[in-house]
C-alpha cells in the first residue's frame, strides 16, 4: 500500500533470474575466443601431462620454466581440463562460473544488511560492468582474483555481525588464496578491511586487535605455504620461476609483479629489461586515470554514483553507533574501491585496463546500498537530491563515454542522456506528487543508468578475444596500455587494418602510432615482425599464432625422443605450437623473452645432450621472435638466437624458420 517492494517478491526467484541471465551472458558462444590468452592454456596443457607442472604452474610439461604468476588460477582450469579434457571450453567455462559465483556472493553480502533489492542491484551492476563481462569470458587470473576478493568481503560482512573470529579468519584465507592468484594486487583491500574491523567490529579494543592478529597469521599461512615450498625446493629440481631475475619466487612477488608495478622501476618488463627510469612509461597517472581513455569505458560507467553514494551514506549515518552494520558495510566496500582505485590511478609500472575488474564488486555494492537507502529515505530532500544528481551525472558521463565510439550505436547516447535527465527531474519531485509512479520512476532510473554498460557488455559477449591484453566494448573503446618507445596498443578488433585471420569478430589488438613516430597503423597479424596471432606463424610478444599443418607434422615426428620438441624465444611464440602438438616447447626467456633463462651455455648444453630438437622463429625477427632478438628479448635470449643462426641452417615450414638442432647432439 505504501509503494514499497516486498522482499518476498524479490527473493529467490529474482536471484535465480539474475544468476541465469549472468550465466547466459558469460557462457553463450564462449568458445568463439578459442584459447583466449594462449599463454595460460599452454600451461594447462602442461599440467595435464605432469603433476609437477600442475603444482609449480609450469609453462611446459618438461618443467623448464613457470608462468609469471602463482598458479592458483591455473589449478582451477587444470582440474577442469583433467576431468573434461583439454579444450577451449574446459579452460574458459571455469572463468564464467567464477563470474556467476562472484555475482551470487556479492548479492549475499549486500542482502544481509540491506535486503534483497539492494543485493540484486549490486549483483546486476557487477554482472553488467563491461570489464567484468570481458574477464569472466577470458582466462587471465583476474576472474578468480575477483571471486576470492568478493568471498573475503562476504566473510568480513559475516564477521562484523557478531565479532566472529572464525569468519574473520575465513576472510583472511580468501585473501591468502587471492595472493596465490595475483600476488600483491590481492593485498590492496587489506588496509581498508583491517581498519573497518578495528573501527566497526563489536567487542573491546584489545579483543579486536587480537582477532586481527590471528587473521594476519591465517593470511600469511594461506598465501605463503606454496611460496615457502617453492623457495625451499632445490632450484635444480624445479622449474625456473618465470618473470624473476634470480629464479626466486620472492623476487617475482616483490619485483616484476610487486612494487615495480607501483614505482615503474621494473626488471623483467616487456620494455627490454625495465629498470630505473621507466616510471610513468605506461601512461599518464593521476586521480582521473580511471575515467580516462584507457580505463573509462571498462569500469567508470556508474563509478561517480558509487563514490557519491559512499560519501552521502557516511554523512547520513555519521551519528550511528560505532558498531552500526550499515556504516561498517559502506566503509568495507568504500575502502576497497578507494584504496584499490588509488593504486591503479597512480601506479607507474605495467598496468592494463582489464585490471579494473577488481573494482567492479565494490562499485556494485555501493550502488546497490545507496539506491536502497535512497528509496527508503525518499521523503527527505537529501535523498531526492542525491538520487537526481546520481542519475543525471551517470547519464551525462555515459554520454561522454559513448562519444568515444561515435560510430557505434549513436542513438544510444542520445537516449541515455535525454532519458537520464528526465528521470533525474522526476526524482526531485516529492513522493506525494508522484504517488504510485514512484516505483516506475525508480525502475526507469536504474534502467537508464545501466543501459550503456549493459550494451557494452552485450557487445563484449558477442565478440571474440585473443592475446594477453583484451579490452571490453566496441573496437577503439579503450586503449590497452601505453608501451614505451612511441606506440600505444588499442582494443580488440585486431590491428587497425583488420582482425588477425584466426579470430572472428575481433580479437588480438592493434597499434596506433602517435605523431612523434613509432610503428605505423594498419598492420595486420601477418604483417608485423614475428607475427601477432597470425595463422601459420609463431605469434609474438602478446599473442600466439596457429602453426601450419606442415609444421605440426614435422614437430610431432620423433617427438618422444626429445625432452623439448622445439624451443622459441618468448612464451607466446611457444604457446600456440605447444597447444597444437601437445608436446613440450621450451620458452626461452619466459613470457616476455626477458628472463635470463636459459643462459647461452645452458642452452648449448641442452642441445648437445640431444634434449631440444628444433629452434623456431617467426622468420622476421622483432619481439623476440627471430634471430638477434628484438623488442622483448633479454641478453641471453638474443645470444641464443644469434648462436643458433650462426651454427645451424634454417628452412621455412609454414611461414616459420626451423633450425634442426639434432646435428649437434
Amino acid at each position: 500500500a505504501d509503494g514499497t517492494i516486498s522482499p518476498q517478491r524479490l527473493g529467490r526467484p529474482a536471484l535465480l533470474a539474475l544468476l541465469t541471465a549472468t550465466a547466459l551472458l558469460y557462457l553463450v558462444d564462449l568458445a568463439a575466443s578459442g584459447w583466449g590468452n594462449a599463454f595460460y592454456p599452454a600451461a594447462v596443457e602442461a599440467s595435464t601431462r605432469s603433476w609437477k607442472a600442475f603444482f609449480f604452474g609450469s609453462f611446459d610439461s618438461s618443467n623448464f620454466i613457470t608462468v609469471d604468476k602463482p598458479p592458483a588460477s591455473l589449478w582451477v582450469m587444470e582440474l577442469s581440463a583433467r576431468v573434461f579434457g583439454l579444450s577451449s571450453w574446459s579452460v574458459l567455462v571455469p572463468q564464467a562460473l567464477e563470474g556467476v559465483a562472484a555475482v551470487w556472493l556479492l548479492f549475499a553480502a549486500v542482502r544481509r544488511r540491506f535486503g534483497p533489492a539492494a543485493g540484486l542491484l549490486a549483483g546486476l551492476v557487477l554482472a553488467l560492468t563491461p570489464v567484468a563481462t570481458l574477464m569472466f569470458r577470458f582466462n587471465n587470473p583476474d576472474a578468480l582474483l575477483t571471486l576470492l576478493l568478493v568471498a573475503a568481503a562476504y566473510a568480513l560482512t559475516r564477521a562484523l555481525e557478531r565479532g566472529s573470529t572464525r569468519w574473520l579468519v575465513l576472510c583472511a584465507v580468501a585473501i591468502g588464496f587471492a595472493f596465490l592468484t595475483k600476488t600483491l594486487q590481492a593485498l590492496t583491500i587489506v588496509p581498508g578491511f583491517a581498519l573497518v574491523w578495528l573501527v566497526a567490529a563489536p567487542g573491546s579494543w584489545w579483543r579486536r586487535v587480537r582477532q586481527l592478529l590471528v587473521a594476519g597469521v591465517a593470511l600469511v599461512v594461506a598465501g605463503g605455504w606454496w611460496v615457502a615450498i617453492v623457495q625451499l625446493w632445490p632450484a635444480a629440481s624445479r622449474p625456473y620461476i618465470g618473470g624473476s631475475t634470480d629464479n626466486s619466487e620472492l623476487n617475482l612477488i616483490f619485483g616484476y609483479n610487486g612494487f615495480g608495478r607501483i614505482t615503474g622501476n621494473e626488471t623483467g618488463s616487456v620494455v627490454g629489461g625495465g629498470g630505473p627510469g621507466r616510471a610513468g612509461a605506461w601512461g599518464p597517472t593521476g586521480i582521473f586515470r580511471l575515467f580516462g581513455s584507457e580505463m573509462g569505458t571498462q569500469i567508470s560507467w556508474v563509478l561517480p554514483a558509487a563514490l557519491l553514494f559512499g560519501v552521502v551514506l557516511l554523512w547520513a549515518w555519521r551519528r550511528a553507533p560505532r558498531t552500526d552494520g550499515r556504516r561498517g558495510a559502506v566503509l568495507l566496500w568504500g575502502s576497497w574501491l578507494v584504496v584499490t582505485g588509488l593504486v591503479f590511478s597512480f601506479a607507474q609500472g605495467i598496468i592494463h585496463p582489464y585490471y579494473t575488474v577488481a573494482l567492479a564488486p565494490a562499485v556494485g555494492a555501493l550502488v546497490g546500498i545507496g539506491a536502497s537507502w535512497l528509496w527508503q529515505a525518499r521523503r527527505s530532500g537529501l535523498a531526492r537530491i542525491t538520487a537526481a544528481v546520481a542519475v543525471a551525472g551517470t547519464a551525462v558521463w555515459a554520454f561522454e563515454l559513448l562519444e568515444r565510439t561515435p560510430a557505434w550505436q549513436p542513438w544510444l547516447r542520445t537516449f541515455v542522456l535525454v532519458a537520464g535527465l528526465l528521470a533525474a527531474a522526476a526524482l526531485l519531485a516529492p513522493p506525494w506528487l508522484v504517488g504510485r509512479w514512484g516505483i516506475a520512476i525508480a525502475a526507469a532510473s536504474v534502467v537508464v543508468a545501466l543501459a550503456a554498460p549493459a550494451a557494452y557488455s552485450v557487445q563484449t559477449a558477442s565478440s571474440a578475444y585473443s592475446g594477453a591484453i583484451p579490452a571490453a566494448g566496441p573496437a577503439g573503446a579503450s586503449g590497452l596500455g601505453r608501451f614505451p618507445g612511441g606506440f600505444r596498443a588499442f582494443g580488440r578488433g585486431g590491428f587497425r587494418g583488420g582482425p588477425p585471420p584466426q579470430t572472428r569478430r575481433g580479437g588480438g589488438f592493434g597499434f596506433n602510432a602517435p605523431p612523434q613516430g613509432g610503428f605505423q597503423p594498419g598492420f595486420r597479424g601477418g604483417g608485423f615482425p614475428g607475427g601477432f596471432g597470425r595463422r601459420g606463424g609463431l605469434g609474438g610478444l602478446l599473442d600466439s599464432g596457429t602453426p601450419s599443418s606442415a609444421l605440426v607434422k614435422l614437430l610431432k615426428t620423433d617427438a618422444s625422443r626429445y625432452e623439448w620438441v622445439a624451443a622459441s624465444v618468448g612464451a607466446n611464440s611457444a604457446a600456440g605450437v605447444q597447444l597444437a602438438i601437445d608436446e613440450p616447447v621450451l620458452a626461452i626467456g619466459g613470457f616476455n623473452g626477458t628472463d635470463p633463462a636459459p643462459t647461452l651455455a645452458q642452452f648449448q648444453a641442452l642441445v648437445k645432450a640431444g634434449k631440444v630438437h628444433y629452434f623456431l622463429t617467426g622468420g622476421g625477427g622483432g619481439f623476440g621472435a627471430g634471430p638477434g632478438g628484438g623488442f622483448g628479448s633479454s641478453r641471453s635470449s638474443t645470444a641464443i638466437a644469434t648462436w643458433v643462426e650462426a651454427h645451424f641452417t634454417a628452412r621455412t615450414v609454414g611461414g616459420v624458420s626451423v633450425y634442426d638442432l639434432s646435428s649437434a647432439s
Side-chain angles (χ1 to χ4, degrees):
D2 61 357
T4 58
I5 302 175
S6 169
Q8 288 74 22
R9 294 175 56 190
L10 286 168
R12 292 184 178 179
L15 174 61
L16 180 61
L18 172 62
L19 297 181
T20 301
T22 302
L24 290 173
L25 181 65
Y26 293 169
L27 284 168
V28 169
D29 205 20
L30 187 60
S33 293
W35 294 116
N37 183 358
F39 175 61
Y40 294 115
V44 173
E45 182 276 335
S47 79
T48 62
R49 298 164 55 89
S50 165
W51 283 109
K52 184 176 181 179
F54 176 94
F55 178 79
F56 285 106
S58 300
F59 175 81
D60 60 281
S61 58
S62 292
N63 291 289
F64 174 75
I65 196 167
T66 71
V67 300
D68 59 356
K69 300 288 187 296
S73 66
L74 290 175
W75 289 339
V76 178
M77 293 184 282
E78 288 164 353
L79 289 174
S80 173
R82 281 187 172 267
V83 173
F84 300 106
L86 179 65
S87 69
S88 175
W89 277 98
S90 65
V91 169
L92 294 176
V93 167
Q95 313 297 102
L97 296 181
E98 287 163 6
V100 176
V103 170
W104 172 65
L105 275 177
L106 182 60
F107 162 84
V110 174
R111 180 193 63 83
R112 293 192 68 84
R113 287 288 185 186
F114 303 97
L120 288 166
L121 182 55
L124 183 63
V125 170
L126 171 58
L128 294 180
T129 300
V131 70
T133 301
L134 171 70
M135 296 316 295
F136 289 128
R137 293 177 59 90
F138 207 64
N139 50 2
N140 283 3
D142 301 75
L144 181 62
L145 172 71
T146 304
L147 171 60
L148 290 170
L149 295 183
V150 176
Y154 173 80
L156 182 58
T157 299
R158 297 291 300 267
L160 287 169
E161 293 174 358
R162 299 177 180 272
S164 169
T165 303
R166 179 173 63 110
W167 279 106
L168 185 63
V169 167
L170 287 174
C171 170
V173 169
I175 297 173
F177 276 91
F179 178 85
L180 291 181
T181 302
K182 215 174 177 192
T183 61
L184 294 191
Q185 185 181 333
L187 303 187
T188 58
I189 67 171
V190 171
F193 279 23
L195 181 62
V196 169
W197 180 258
L198 292 176
V199 169
S204 69
W205 168 258
W206 288 113
R207 181 174 187 268
R208 282 174 276 150
V209 170
R210 289 195 301 270
Q211 289 173 308
L212 197 60
L213 291 174
V214 171
V217 172
L219 191 159
V220 171
V221 172
W225 65 272
W226 181 85
V227 176
I229 292 174
V230 172
Q231 286 296 112
L232 295 173
W233 199 291
S237 66
R238 62 160 170 78
Y240 184 93
I241 304 302
S244 71
T245 59
D246 60 359
N247 198 14
S248 164
E249 187 66 33
L250 293 178
N251 176 269
L252 176 64
I253 290 171
F254 295 107
Y256 176 63
N257 281 337
F259 297 119
R261 302 277 173 141
I262 297 175
T263 65
N265 295 325
E266 298 174 288
T267 301
S269 171
V270 296
V271 295
R278 292 294 184 183
W282 291 89
T285 62
I287 196 69
F288 297 111
R289 191 182 201 180
L290 295 176
F291 303 92
S293 61
E294 296 180 351
M295 298 183 180
T297 56
Q298 308 299 293
I299 188 62
S300 73
W301 299 91
V302 294
L303 178 56
L307 293 171
L308 174 64
F309 289 163
V311 172
V312 171
L313 290 174
L314 289 178
W315 172 260
W317 296 329
R318 65 191 183 280
R319 294 190 176 90
R322 179 183 66 80
T323 58
D324 181 72
R326 300 171 304 166
R327 187 174 59 194
V330 173
L331 288 173
L332 185 160
W333 299 106
S335 67
W336 174 344
L337 178 59
V338 170
V339 175
T340 305
L342 288 175
V343 170
F344 290 164
S345 296
F346 290 94
Q348 299 183 70
I350 298 175
I351 185 168
H352 302 307
Y354 69 79
Y355 291 5
T356 58
V357 67
L359 300 173
V363 171
L366 289 174
V367 169
I369 293 168
S372 173
W373 175 80
L374 291 174
W375 176 259
Q376 295 170 8
R378 60 191 179 279
R379 296 185 182 279
S380 76
L382 175 63
R384 295 199 302 276
I385 292 172
T386 301
V389 170
V391 172
T394 298
V396 171
W397 182 238
F399 182 87
E400 158 60 23
L401 291 175
L402 291 169
E403 276 283 311
R404 298 178 184 180
T405 52
W408 182 78
Q409 306 295 344
W411 64 270
L412 181 59
R413 61 182 181 273
T414 302
F415 165 76
V416 169
L417 180 63
V418 173
L421 294 178
L422 290 175
L427 288 170
L428 286 172
W432 61 265
L433 182 61
V434 298
R436 293 180 177 273
W437 289 98
I439 294 178
I441 293 171
S445 300
V446 171
V447 170
V448 170
L450 296 182
Y456 255 57
S457 290
V458 171
Q459 198 281 338
T460 298
S462 65
S463 301
Y465 296 84
S466 66
I469 314 178
S478 171
L480 292 180
R482 183 191 300 270
F483 286 79
F487 63 93
R488 181 187 296 270
F490 276 84
R492 322 151 20 267
F495 290 86
R496 303 286 281 190
Q502 88 282 9
T503 307
R504 66 179 182 85
R505 301 196 312 274
F509 59 92
F511 289 104
N512 187 25
Q516 68 266 28
F519 295 99
Q520 298 300 315
F523 283 107
R524 294 175 63 91
F528 196 82
F532 263 85
R534 59 175 177 166
R535 185 171 297 280
L538 290 183
L541 178 65
L542 298 174
D543 201 7
S544 297
T546 303
S548 66
S549 58
L551 181 59
V552 170
K553 181 179 179 180
L554 174 68
L555 296 179
K556 290 180 74 70
T557 302
D558 295 329
S560 60
R561 296 175 51 193
Y562 298 89
E563 200 161 333
W564 292 276
V565 171
S568 182
V569 175
N572 273 309
S573 294
V577 177
Q578 184 165 293
L579 288 166
I581 65 176
D582 197 22
E583 298 286 351
V585 177
L586 196 157
I588 297 171
F591 177 79
N592 297 325
T594 57
D595 297 348
T599 64
L600 175 59
Q602 289 170 336
F603 185 76
Q604 289 171 332
L606 292 174
V607 172
K608 185 175 181 180
K611 294 185 176 182
V612 185
H613 195 178
Y614 296 106
F615 183 84
L616 309 177
T617 78
F623 281 81
F631 190 106
S633 296
S634 68
R635 184 174 300 176
S636 60
S637 61
T638 298
I640 290 169
T642 302
W643 175 77
V644 169
E645 182 183 40
H647 291 83
F648 299 89
T649 301
R651 56 171 165 155
T652 301
V653 180
V656 174
S657 297
V658 180
Y659 297 81
D660 188 346
L661 307 179
S662 61
S663 59
S665 58

